[in-house]
């Protein structure tokens, strides 16, 4: 499962990178929506898998910080952090190395006020965890 997930994210990231090289208009056509089924989980109580999100608007730019307070070991780790829009299309994300990283990232986007987003963390043992938030 972990390898399949990694390859899937790598394919999406590679497609987006190639589209960026072709021009800004090609990005929307190249990045396909990802269907996330069965793994969208969010529990009350501050579970270590659920992303913590901070948002700071600076004019038209929005800085979104994501931290997942999860131990990063080879056996149990957060392998990726992603941001999705309300239509479950990936906006941006990053893959993480199991033992060499902390599960946090900073993303800067141009988004209109009132946008609904999902911060998603991917645990190699426990799947996808999300937090819904608005800008």
């Amino acid at each position: 499962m972990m390898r399949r997930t990694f390859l899937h994210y790598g394919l999406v990231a590679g497609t987006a990178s190639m589209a960026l090289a072709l021009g800004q208009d090609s990005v929307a056509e190249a990045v396909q929506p990802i269907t996330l089924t069965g793994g969208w989980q969010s529990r009350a109580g501050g579970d270590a898998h659920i992303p913590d999100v901070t948002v700071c608007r600076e004019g038209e730019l929005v800085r979104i910080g994501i931290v997942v307070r999860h131990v990063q070991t080879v056996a149990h780790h957060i392998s990726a952090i992603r941001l999705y829009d309300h239509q479950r299309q990936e906006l941006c994300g990053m893959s993480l190395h199991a033992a060499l990283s902390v599960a946090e990232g900073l993303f800067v986007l141009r988004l209109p006020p009132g946008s609904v987003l999902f911060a998603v963390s991917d645990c190699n043992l426990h799947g996808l965890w999300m937090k819904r938030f608005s800008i």
Side-chain angles (χ1 to χ4, degrees):
M1 175 74 178
M2 181 175 72
R3 182 174 178 196
R4 195 172 343 156
T5 302
F6 174 78
L7 292 174
H8 177 72
Y9 285 138
L11 178 63
V12 171
T15 303
S17 297
M18 289 187 325
L20 288 173
L22 297 174
Q24 188 172 4
D25 293 337
S26 302
V27 174
E29 296 169 7
V31 178
Q32 299 297 316
I34 298 173
T35 303
L36 299 170
T37 59
W40 288 78
Q41 306 175 48
S42 185
R43 297 184 205 166
D47 192 292
H49 293 93
I50 299 173
D52 290 328
V53 179
T54 57
V55 177
C56 179
R57 179 172 287 281
E58 297 175 3
E60 66 178 26
L61 297 178
V62 179
R63 294 183 188 277
I64 301 170
I66 299 176
V67 177
V68 184
R69 303 188 191 291
H70 189 284
V71 176
Q72 293 290 92
T73 65
V74 173
H76 188 191
H77 58 274
I78 299 297
S79 60
I81 298 172
R82 307 276 182 229
L83 272 176
Y84 293 86
D85 66 8
H86 69 284
Q87 296 173 338
R88 292 189 177 177
Q89 286 194 343
E90 183 177 335
L91 300 175
C92 56
M94 62 191 310
S95 296
L96 303 167
H97 187 278
L100 299 178
S101 64
V102 291
E104 64 181 70
L106 176 65
F107 305 99
V108 180
L109 303 164
R110 286 187 176 91
L111 296 168
S115 296
V116 175
L117 301 176
F118 297 91
V120 177
S121 63
D122 189 357
C123 176
N124 71 316
L125 296 180
H126 302 113
L128 300 174
W129 296 74
M130 71 96 182
K131 178 175 271 186
R132 180 182 185 270
F133 65 100
S134 299
I135 302 291

